[in-house]
Amino acid sequence: MSQSLLLFFLFLNILLFSSPSSSDDFDLSLSDNETAAAATATASYRIDCGGEGNSSAAGAPWLADAFYSGGATAAKNCYLVPVPAPAGRYYLRTFTAYGDYDGKLRPPSFDVAVEGTVVFGWRAPWPEAVRFSGAYSDLFVFVGDGEVDVCFYSIATDAPVIGSLEIVEIDSSAYDLSGDGDGEDEDVLLVNYGRLNCGVDERGLGIDESIDDRFGRAWQSDLAFRVDNSFLSSQLARNLETRTGVSRANQPPNYFPMKLYQTAVVMPGGIRALEYEIPVDSRLDYMVWLHFAEIDAGVTAAGRRVFDVHINQRNVSRIDIFERVGGFAAFDWQYRVRNLSSTYLSVRLVPVVGDPLLCGLENYALVPKDLLNGSGTR
């Protein structure tokens, strides 16, 4: 763990929903009044790792490399990012790519830790597409000391690589684990193991994270995770899409985007389940979120579309979307999965009346903060 951290894009910008400074010299100091305002405003931090000047991309401003506290011979390479509120909840995303920058034709192996807890691990060989095009990794974390720390640990002689780091302040109640205010959310990181937008193919427009999603969450097509029980089922599954507004979308604390509910996948025929399998680490517990909206104008009453939710072969709920919220309205359901015995998490929507329908699926690993790991050792 003694190699330098390669930084090839990095900017940090504090966005308090106001116009950013266009000056190359961005003043990060705040007056007392500004500090008070920042504590109650939503802040975004966009760091382009290794960047030497301020710029903008996709309509968002970025700053040059900042808050890096590592070194060529440091035991760890870290970003320590001050945040405006002394305590708050944040969405954090990293982008990593290799591209054979060093001519060795071998991507590095390294770990990434957030708030002293290892959350992402990169091991050679990387998938070919990721090696050249890169990949995002993201999570939700509570920060209680006014500073977000993200550290990169070398494996053997490999130098970690990081393209960008984004930190977005979110509602303190977002993705609540218990709903009873017992503080569990402060001690657990929610690491993304799948965030799917259903009813959108790989070439479809889907959700634009920079425009449609208040948190900037990246959503991907569900196709790669959908299980086809037979050749016919793959032909029968169909997508629904509407331009009609969906109520209850973009609401606090999670601000799920309206576009998520304006597409859906349906398994017609009333006899086949709609099924997904998501790769997971069987050592962890998970929080599954399912997103629904009855966007078929032909379903106008309760009892017309009813299905059971099976997670890992266990029937855990019966859903009638119209009965819950009516038509063209968002309905979100969550379930905690414990004691996995497989490296795949299975979600099946089994028809009772009519055809199963799903707009979106999220799966987050519940990773306890490792207080012993704060020094960078394991």
Short mmCIF file of all heavy atoms in Angstrom, two decimals, residues 265 267 272-276 290 292 307-310 319 333 347-352 355-359:
data_model
loop_
_atom_site.label_atom_id
_atom_site.label_comp_id
_atom_site.label_asym_id
_atom_site.label_seq_id
_atom_site.Cartn_x
_atom_site.Cartn_y
_atom_site.Cartn_z
N VAL A 265 -42.18 -2.71 -17.07
CA VAL A 265 -42.17 -3.96 -17.81
C VAL A 265 -43.31 -4.81 -17.25
O VAL A 265 -43.57 -4.82 -16.04
CB VAL A 265 -40.82 -4.68 -17.69
CG1 VAL A 265 -40.52 -5.10 -16.26
CG2 VAL A 265 -40.77 -5.91 -18.60
N MET A 267 -45.26 -8.77 -17.62
CA MET A 267 -45.22 -10.14 -18.12
C MET A 267 -46.65 -10.58 -18.39
O MET A 267 -47.37 -11.02 -17.48
CB MET A 267 -44.55 -11.07 -17.11
CG MET A 267 -44.37 -12.49 -17.63
SD MET A 267 -43.28 -12.58 -19.06
CE MET A 267 -41.68 -12.33 -18.27
N ARG A 272 -47.11 -16.35 -16.01
CA ARG A 272 -45.66 -16.37 -15.86
C ARG A 272 -45.20 -15.29 -14.89
O ARG A 272 -45.70 -14.17 -14.91
CB ARG A 272 -44.97 -16.17 -17.22
CG ARG A 272 -45.14 -17.33 -18.18
CD ARG A 272 -44.40 -17.07 -19.48
NE ARG A 272 -44.47 -18.22 -20.37
CZ ARG A 272 -45.47 -18.44 -21.21
NH1 ARG A 272 -46.48 -17.60 -21.28
NH2 ARG A 272 -45.45 -19.51 -21.98
N ALA A 273 -44.20 -15.63 -14.09
CA ALA A 273 -43.62 -14.66 -13.15
C ALA A 273 -42.65 -13.75 -13.88
O ALA A 273 -42.02 -14.13 -14.87
CB ALA A 273 -42.91 -15.39 -12.01
N LEU A 274 -42.55 -12.53 -13.37
CA LEU A 274 -41.51 -11.59 -13.81
C LEU A 274 -40.38 -11.72 -12.81
O LEU A 274 -40.57 -11.47 -11.62
CB LEU A 274 -42.08 -10.17 -13.82
CG LEU A 274 -41.12 -9.04 -14.21
CD1 LEU A 274 -40.60 -9.24 -15.63
CD2 LEU A 274 -41.83 -7.69 -14.08
N GLU A 275 -39.20 -12.13 -13.29
CA GLU A 275 -38.15 -12.53 -12.34
C GLU A 275 -36.82 -11.85 -12.66
O GLU A 275 -36.44 -11.66 -13.82
CB GLU A 275 -37.96 -14.05 -12.39
CG GLU A 275 -36.93 -14.56 -11.40
CD GLU A 275 -36.86 -16.08 -11.35
OE1 GLU A 275 -37.61 -16.72 -12.12
OE2 GLU A 275 -36.07 -16.61 -10.55
N TYR A 276 -36.10 -11.51 -11.57
CA TYR A 276 -34.78 -10.89 -11.68
C TYR A 276 -33.80 -11.62 -10.78
O TYR A 276 -34.16 -12.11 -9.70
CB TYR A 276 -34.82 -9.42 -11.28
CG TYR A 276 -35.63 -8.57 -12.21
CD1 TYR A 276 -37.00 -8.43 -12.04
CD2 TYR A 276 -35.02 -7.91 -13.28
CE1 TYR A 276 -37.76 -7.66 -12.91
CE2 TYR A 276 -35.77 -7.13 -14.15
CZ TYR A 276 -37.13 -7.01 -13.96
OH TYR A 276 -37.88 -6.25 -14.82
N LEU A 290 -38.68 -1.78 -4.39
CA LEU A 290 -39.41 -1.99 -5.62
C LEU A 290 -40.29 -0.77 -5.88
O LEU A 290 -40.92 -0.23 -4.96
CB LEU A 290 -40.27 -3.25 -5.54
CG LEU A 290 -39.54 -4.57 -5.28
CD1 LEU A 290 -40.53 -5.73 -5.32
CD2 LEU A 290 -38.41 -4.79 -6.27
N PHE A 292 -43.38 0.98 -8.24
CA PHE A 292 -44.54 0.65 -9.06
C PHE A 292 -45.34 1.91 -9.39
O PHE A 292 -45.34 2.88 -8.63
CB PHE A 292 -45.49 -0.31 -8.32
CG PHE A 292 -44.84 -1.55 -7.76
CD1 PHE A 292 -44.47 -1.62 -6.42
CD2 PHE A 292 -44.63 -2.66 -8.57
CE1 PHE A 292 -43.90 -2.77 -5.90
CE2 PHE A 292 -44.06 -3.81 -8.06
CZ PHE A 292 -43.69 -3.87 -6.72
N PHE A 307 -50.38 -9.28 -7.59
CA PHE A 307 -49.29 -10.24 -7.69
C PHE A 307 -48.56 -10.34 -6.35
O PHE A 307 -48.61 -9.44 -5.52
CB PHE A 307 -48.30 -9.86 -8.80
CG PHE A 307 -47.83 -8.42 -8.76
CD1 PHE A 307 -46.73 -8.05 -8.00
CD2 PHE A 307 -48.51 -7.43 -9.46
CE1 PHE A 307 -46.30 -6.73 -7.95
CE2 PHE A 307 -48.10 -6.10 -9.43
CZ PHE A 307 -47.00 -5.75 -8.67
N ASP A 308 -47.91 -11.48 -6.16
CA ASP A 308 -47.12 -11.70 -4.95
C ASP A 308 -45.65 -11.42 -5.23
O ASP A 308 -45.15 -11.70 -6.34
CB ASP A 308 -47.26 -13.15 -4.48
CG ASP A 308 -48.63 -13.43 -3.88
OD1 ASP A 308 -49.27 -12.49 -3.41
OD2 ASP A 308 -49.04 -14.62 -3.88
N VAL A 309 -44.97 -10.89 -4.22
CA VAL A 309 -43.53 -10.63 -4.31
C VAL A 309 -42.80 -11.76 -3.60
O VAL A 309 -42.99 -11.97 -2.40
CB VAL A 309 -43.17 -9.28 -3.68
CG1 VAL A 309 -41.65 -9.06 -3.74
CG2 VAL A 309 -43.91 -8.13 -4.37
N HIS A 310 -41.98 -12.48 -4.34
CA HIS A 310 -41.14 -13.54 -3.77
C HIS A 310 -39.69 -13.06 -3.80
O HIS A 310 -39.19 -12.69 -4.87
CB HIS A 310 -41.26 -14.83 -4.58
CG HIS A 310 -42.60 -15.49 -4.49
ND1 HIS A 310 -42.76 -16.80 -4.11
CD2 HIS A 310 -43.86 -15.01 -4.70
CE1 HIS A 310 -44.04 -17.13 -4.12
NE2 HIS A 310 -44.74 -16.04 -4.48
N ILE A 319 -49.17 -7.43 -3.68
CA ILE A 319 -49.25 -6.05 -4.16
C ILE A 319 -50.44 -5.88 -5.09
O ILE A 319 -50.62 -6.64 -6.04
CB ILE A 319 -47.96 -5.63 -4.90
CG1 ILE A 319 -46.73 -5.77 -4.00
CG2 ILE A 319 -48.09 -4.22 -5.45
CD1 ILE A 319 -46.66 -4.78 -2.87
N TRP A 333 -42.04 0.21 -2.31
CA TRP A 333 -42.11 -0.84 -1.30
C TRP A 333 -40.69 -1.32 -1.01
O TRP A 333 -39.86 -1.44 -1.92
CB TRP A 333 -42.97 -1.98 -1.82
CG TRP A 333 -43.07 -3.18 -0.93
CD1 TRP A 333 -43.99 -3.41 0.06
CD2 TRP A 333 -42.25 -4.35 -0.98
NE1 TRP A 333 -43.78 -4.63 0.64
CE2 TRP A 333 -42.72 -5.24 0.02
CE3 TRP A 333 -41.16 -4.74 -1.76
CZ2 TRP A 333 -42.14 -6.49 0.25
CZ3 TRP A 333 -40.58 -5.97 -1.53
CH2 TRP A 333 -41.07 -6.83 -0.53
N VAL A 347 -35.63 -11.91 -7.16
CA VAL A 347 -36.89 -11.17 -6.97
C VAL A 347 -37.86 -11.66 -8.04
O VAL A 347 -37.58 -11.56 -9.24
CB VAL A 347 -36.69 -9.65 -7.10
CG1 VAL A 347 -38.03 -8.92 -6.99
CG2 VAL A 347 -35.72 -9.14 -6.05
N ARG A 348 -39.00 -12.21 -7.62
CA ARG A 348 -40.01 -12.73 -8.54
C ARG A 348 -41.35 -12.10 -8.23
O ARG A 348 -41.78 -12.07 -7.07
CB ARG A 348 -40.13 -14.26 -8.44
CG ARG A 348 -38.87 -15.01 -8.79
CD ARG A 348 -39.04 -16.51 -8.61
NE ARG A 348 -39.94 -17.08 -9.63
CZ ARG A 348 -41.03 -17.77 -9.37
NH1 ARG A 348 -41.42 -17.95 -8.10
NH2 ARG A 348 -41.77 -18.25 -10.35
N LEU A 349 -42.01 -11.61 -9.26
CA LEU A 349 -43.38 -11.11 -9.13
C LEU A 349 -44.29 -12.17 -9.75
O LEU A 349 -44.28 -12.39 -10.97
CB LEU A 349 -43.53 -9.77 -9.84
CG LEU A 349 -42.56 -8.66 -9.41
CD1 LEU A 349 -42.91 -7.34 -10.10
CD2 LEU A 349 -42.55 -8.48 -7.91
N VAL A 350 -45.07 -12.84 -8.89
CA VAL A 350 -45.86 -14.00 -9.30
C VAL A 350 -47.32 -13.57 -9.45
O VAL A 350 -47.93 -13.06 -8.50
CB VAL A 350 -45.74 -15.13 -8.26
CG1 VAL A 350 -46.58 -16.33 -8.68
CG2 VAL A 350 -44.27 -15.53 -8.09
N PRO A 351 -47.92 -13.78 -10.62
CA PRO A 351 -49.29 -13.30 -10.86
C PRO A 351 -50.33 -14.00 -9.99
O PRO A 351 -50.26 -15.20 -9.76
CB PRO A 351 -49.52 -13.60 -12.34
CG PRO A 351 -48.57 -14.72 -12.66
CD PRO A 351 -47.37 -14.47 -11.80
N VAL A 352 -51.29 -13.20 -9.51
CA VAL A 352 -52.47 -13.71 -8.81
C VAL A 352 -53.70 -13.41 -9.67
O VAL A 352 -54.49 -14.28 -10.00
CB VAL A 352 -52.62 -13.09 -7.41
CG1 VAL A 352 -53.91 -13.56 -6.74
CG2 VAL A 352 -51.41 -13.42 -6.55
N ASP A 355 -51.49 -9.34 -14.79
CA ASP A 355 -50.08 -9.48 -15.15
C ASP A 355 -49.18 -8.69 -14.20
O ASP A 355 -49.46 -7.52 -13.90
CB ASP A 355 -49.84 -8.97 -16.57
CG ASP A 355 -50.82 -9.56 -17.57
OD1 ASP A 355 -51.13 -10.76 -17.43
OD2 ASP A 355 -51.27 -8.82 -18.47
N PRO A 356 -48.08 -9.29 -13.73
CA PRO A 356 -47.14 -8.54 -12.89
C PRO A 356 -46.55 -7.35 -13.64
O PRO A 356 -46.32 -7.41 -14.84
CB PRO A 356 -46.06 -9.57 -12.57
CG PRO A 356 -46.69 -10.90 -12.83
CD PRO A 356 -47.67 -10.68 -13.93
N LEU A 357 -46.30 -6.28 -12.89
CA LEU A 357 -45.75 -5.04 -13.46
C LEU A 357 -44.70 -4.48 -12.52
O LEU A 357 -44.87 -4.51 -11.30
CB LEU A 357 -46.87 -4.02 -13.68
CG LEU A 357 -46.51 -2.61 -14.14
CD1 LEU A 357 -47.66 -2.00 -14.96
CD2 LEU A 357 -46.21 -1.68 -12.95
N LEU A 358 -43.61 -3.93 -13.09
CA LEU A 358 -42.57 -3.32 -12.27
C LEU A 358 -41.95 -2.14 -13.01
O LEU A 358 -41.65 -2.22 -14.20
CB LEU A 358 -41.47 -4.35 -11.96
CG LEU A 358 -40.34 -3.91 -11.02
CD1 LEU A 358 -40.89 -3.58 -9.63
CD2 LEU A 358 -39.28 -4.98 -10.94
N CYS A 359 -41.77 -1.02 -12.27
CA CYS A 359 -41.16 0.18 -12.84
C CYS A 359 -39.68 0.29 -12.52
O CYS A 359 -38.90 0.82 -13.32
CB CYS A 359 -41.87 1.43 -12.32
SG CYS A 359 -43.59 1.60 -12.84
#
